[in-house]
Amino acid sequence: MRSFLKSDVLDKLKEKLRSFLDGVEETIEEKKVILVDPSKLQGGEPEISLRTIGLFSDILEEPIAELVHALMYMNETNKDKKEEDKEPIEFYLSTYGGSADDMFALYDIMKDIQKRTEIHTVGVGKVMSAGVPLLACGTKGKRKIAKNCRVMIHSVSAGNHGNIHDLVNELEAVEELQKMYINCLVEETKMTKSQLKKMLKRKVNVYLSAEQAIELGIADEIL
């Protein structure tokens, strides 16, 4: 059976739909995050300029993208300042690890930004797996770790399925990623390649205390 709506009923339905869509748009707008330079806010120079960021989650594309945007913004605010007036960025880190690719995306940006702006890394809670290079790549002498923070290093892991040719190709890619991880830690810490390879050959998670992390050059001092 076919039915037809009267024009006044149809108008009311259209109005309700418009109201609903307006509400959805307002909700979306409220969720936007805008980074603001405190020194440019109306009302004069603020007493405190907050330059702190944090990663308290797994290392994944979305949180890493937000951190990269924040780092680039804070670095830009140092662009026209004299060397002695440049302000560092504090980066608090607590993570079980995650994607090696996303870790390297943030790692490379941090290294580039440090040409102009110091990044003071602070490890709290747990800094594990892909999180370790991020703590270690902070400005040397400015890398802190909380007394009860646990650090963990292990081999790169991956899960794949498919035909034999794809699996061989994926294995080669994982081995290359492992080499990148080792080279990164060798560059940022006091550990040698042979020392790291010996750790990873144990095929278990290697846990370190805050004191041990400092001895190995992953951090510089206890928070």
Side-chain angles (χ1 to χ4, degrees):
M1 185 185 301
R2 184 178 296 179
S3 61
F4 297 90
L5 293 172
K6 293 182 179 179
S7 59
D8 58 334
V9 175
L10 188 58
D11 290 340
K12 287 180 181 179
L13 286 173
K14 286 181 180 178
E15 185 61 34
K16 286 184 178 181
L17 181 58
R18 266 192 232 100
S19 299
F20 171 77
L21 291 175
D22 289 342
V24 170
E25 289 174 359
E26 287 174 6
T27 302
I28 292 170
E29 289 295 322
E30 288 171 2
K31 289 184 179 180
K32 284 185 179 178
V33 177
I34 301 174
L35 293 170
V36 180
D37 181 1
S39 65
K40 295 179 181 178
L41 291 174
Q42 192 173 7
E45 195 75 19
E47 292 183 6
I48 298 175
S49 179
L50 186 63
R51 294 176 62 80
T52 304
I53 58 174
L55 175 65
F56 290 80
S57 71
D58 288 343
I59 296 171
L60 299 169
E61 187 171 337
E62 189 173 345
I64 293 304
E66 292 177 0
L67 284 171
V68 167
H69 289 146
L71 284 166
M72 292 174 69
Y73 171 82
M74 291 180 183
N75 182 49
E76 193 64 23
T77 62
N78 272 340
K79 185 177 180 180
D80 299 320
K81 292 181 180 179
K82 295 179 181 177
E83 197 62 37
E84 61 271 19
D85 295 329
K86 290 181 178 179
E87 297 178 277
I89 298 168
E90 276 197 297
F91 178 22
Y92 283 79
L93 180 67
S94 181
T95 179
Y96 285 113
S99 165
D101 291 325
D102 291 315
M103 177 274 288
F104 278 118
L106 180 55
Y107 173 87
D108 287 339
I109 292 295
M110 289 174 68
K111 296 298 290 183
D112 183 61
I113 282 175
Q114 285 179 87
K115 295 173 185 175
R116 181 189 296 166
T117 302
E118 287 189 356
I119 300 177
H120 300 178
T121 50
V122 184
V124 295
K126 74 278 181 187
V127 178
M128 302 184 178
S129 188
V132 179
L134 298 179
L135 172 62
C137 81
T139 301
K140 301 301 181 284
K142 305 292 185 179
R143 303 168 303 171
K144 297 181 180 180
I145 185 168
K147 182 179 179 180
N148 296 304
C149 179
R150 293 193 306 153
V151 174
M152 186 271 282
I153 298 172
H154 65 180
S155 298
V156 173
S157 59
N160 296 288
H161 64 276
N163 62 55
I164 186 66
H165 303 293
D166 288 338
L167 291 174
V168 170
N169 183 64
E170 290 302 314
L171 179 59
E172 290 174 355
V174 171
E175 287 176 342
E176 183 61 30
L177 200 57
Q178 177 95 315
K179 288 179 185 177
M180 290 169 63
Y181 183 75
I182 290 173
N183 290 339
C184 175
L185 287 177
V186 168
E187 181 178 343
E188 302 299 339
T189 71
K190 297 175 184 176
M191 291 184 281
T192 64
K193 278 190 180 181
S194 59
Q195 190 177 9
L196 267 167
K197 286 180 179 178
K198 188 176 179 180
M199 277 186 187
L200 299 176
K201 278 183 180 178
R202 291 165 57 185
K203 298 180 181 179
V204 294
N205 296 335
V206 179
Y207 290 93
L208 307 169
S209 65
E211 290 80 7
Q212 289 171 321
I214 290 173
E215 287 175 11
L216 293 173
I218 295 169
D220 301 305
E221 61 179 298
I222 301 286
L223 180 64

